[in-house]
Amino acid sequence: QVQLVESGGGSVQAGGSLRLSCAASGRTFSSYAMGWFRQAPGKEREFVAAIRRSGRTTYYADSVKGRFTISRDNAKNTVSLQMNNLKPEDAAVYYCAAGRYDSYMNILSSEKYDYWGQGTQVTVSS
């Protein structure tokens, strides 16, 4: 069992930055791939970024590539999402997720994640 708690959401103007953090409970954090997903009102949950267990490989949605950076600290059981140059279309509830499957195709799919945080709101004003 893994419990995930996100923090760091808030309101920012377009062009600004936010850093989201996700703290995981349990001693098996390094056994999980970690991902960030987001859901805007009226839209489906979408993939944002993911990082494999070792932290050496990361993946990004095209819409955030070059602006967002995902990282993890397996010693501290945390995963972070640095978001720069935020745009109004980035506004959403952001969710942290942990999944047992570390392969490329699985890590991009929300269906392959086993544990989810409660979400943190990101608001971007133009």
Side-chain angles (χ1 to χ4, degrees):
Q1 188 78 9
V2 176
Q3 291 185 326
L4 304 172
V5 179
E6 301 100 335
S7 61
S11 297
V12 65
Q13 289 189 331
S17 298
L18 284 174
R19 185 177 180 86
L20 305 183
S21 294
C22 175
S25 65
R27 294 175 288 181
T28 58
F29 177 75
S30 61
S31 300
Y32 293 89
M34 299 299 297
W36 286 96
F37 292 79
R38 67 188 181 187
Q39 188 167 18
K43 295 187 178 181
E44 294 187 354
R45 187 172 298 187
E46 65 174 357
F47 169 78
V48 175
I51 188 166
R52 297 182 74 166
R53 296 170 190 148
S54 67
R56 289 192 291 267
T57 304
T58 57
Y59 303 95
Y60 298 94
D62 288 342
S63 60
V64 307
K65 203 170 293 183
R67 301 187 296 120
F68 290 12
T69 303
I70 188 172
S71 60
R72 68 187 296 162
D73 186 334
N74 285 342
K76 295 182 178 179
N77 285 12
T78 59
V79 61
S80 299
L81 185 69
Q82 178 66 42
M83 305 186 295
N84 297 329
N85 190 21
L86 282 159
K87 303 177 180 181
E89 52 263 42
D90 294 319
V93 177
Y94 282 71
Y95 297 90
C96 169
R100 292 168 290 169
Y101 303 104
D102 203 45
S103 65
Y104 169 68
M105 290 307 298
N106 287 325
I107 207 171
L108 304 185
S109 172
S110 62
E111 297 178 355
K112 298 297 184 180
Y113 284 80
D114 304 293
Y115 304 102
W116 292 82
Q118 82 287 351
T120 186
Q121 178 72 51
V122 171
T123 303
V124 184
S125 58
S126 57

